[in-house]
Amino acid sequence: RRAAVGLQAIGINEGPIVVRHSEKSKASLISSNPSVTLSLAFWKGVTELASVDETDVATLLILAPSSLDKDFVEFAAIFDELVEPLVQYTGTERLVGRALFHPHYNAALVGHDKVIAGHALPAAMVQEFVKKYFPNESNDDSLLDLQTIAVANDAVRHTPHATINLLRRSQLQGAKEAEASSSNKRPNFIYAKNIQRILESK
């Protein structure tokens, strides 16, 4: 699969989405502790994106140790309390974006109701996007109540394994610029579309 497709016009080259298994990296040889293994794999990924051309590696999917696949709370805690603070301290957010995925992603378990790096947008925000772009569905309160949106919003982040998606900041900025210059501006449409897709699949 490819990332950054359609951004060539603004100077961003597309490239492959690469998967890295933290348990198969040298990080797993240093420690069997999943916190250490995942953290080291994360920073190795940051280094890779900073040193490798985007046409060779556009974005990285870093698979966490399999022991974290059943425990979303622990996975989120490792990211929120160990990885992300160091990202902020070092200014690494200028280089990479972060997105968490998990088989049991559940925003309520980490209690966030505001925008937090790496996590899904709060369901209340996404609910407003859905109402804006899919007004016909808004007539059915049972489909678009906050709890329904929250469940679907979590489902967007469900994957077979606990995963951190590392994205190049240049690609994220490029996508934002492409949207701003489009004649059909629909900011945040992707969030509403994802919810509609999840609800239609049920």
Side-chain angles (χ1 to χ4, degrees):
R1 297 182 63 183
R2 311 283 287 180
V5 176
L7 298 179
Q8 288 81 1
I10 57 174
I12 304 295
N13 295 314
E14 67 176 78
I17 299 173
V18 177
V19 177
R20 297 286 185 238
H21 297 260
S22 60
E23 287 183 319
K24 295 182 180 180
S25 69
K26 292 182 179 179
S28 64
L29 300 177
I30 297 174
S31 173
S32 60
N33 185 311
S35 299
V36 175
T37 300
L38 181 57
S39 298
L40 290 174
F42 175 90
W43 288 105
K44 183 178 179 181
V46 171
T47 301
E48 184 173 1
L49 288 186
S51 59
V52 176
D53 192 87
E54 61 192 9
T55 57
D56 295 318
V57 179
T59 187
L60 284 172
L61 297 176
I62 300 175
L63 272 59
S66 57
S67 63
L68 296 175
D69 286 350
K70 295 182 179 180
D71 194 336
F72 170 64
V73 172
E74 182 180 2
F75 172 65
I78 292 171
F79 179 83
D80 293 339
E81 299 171 15
L82 181 61
V83 175
E84 184 60 23
L86 192 54
V87 168
Q88 297 297 324
Y89 182 77
T90 58
T92 304
E93 76 276 7
R94 296 192 300 268
L95 298 176
V96 297
R98 294 81 65 208
L100 301 185
F101 296 87
H102 194 276
H104 309 291
Y105 191 96
N106 185 339
L109 293 180
V110 293
H112 85 270
D113 56 2
K114 59 183 179 180
V115 177
I116 298 178
H119 286 275
L121 289 181
M125 289 180 63
V126 177
Q127 183 184 42
E128 294 305 311
F129 302 151
V130 175
K131 289 180 179 179
K132 175 180 179 180
Y133 290 111
F134 299 102
N136 292 335
E137 282 84 346
S138 298
N139 295 326
D140 187 344
D141 292 338
S142 65
L143 288 178
L144 294 183
D145 65 71
L146 186 57
Q147 181 58 34
T148 299
I149 295 294
V151 171
N153 199 39
D154 287 339
V156 172
R157 293 295 184 110
H158 288 170
T159 49
H161 302 287
T163 303
I164 299 177
N165 186 191
L166 269 179
L167 307 107
R168 292 178 183 269
R169 181 61 63 187
S170 58
Q171 293 174 347
L172 294 172
Q173 185 61 34
K176 186 176 181 179
E177 292 174 5
E179 180 180 73
S181 63
S182 172
S183 58
N184 183 25
K185 293 183 176 64
R186 295 192 292 181
N188 300 309
F189 174 75
I190 185 61
Y191 300 106
K193 183 64 177 177
N194 284 339
I195 296 301
Q196 186 198 46
R197 174 177 56 82
I198 294 294
L199 294 178
E200 287 181 344
S201 69
K202 294 184 176 181

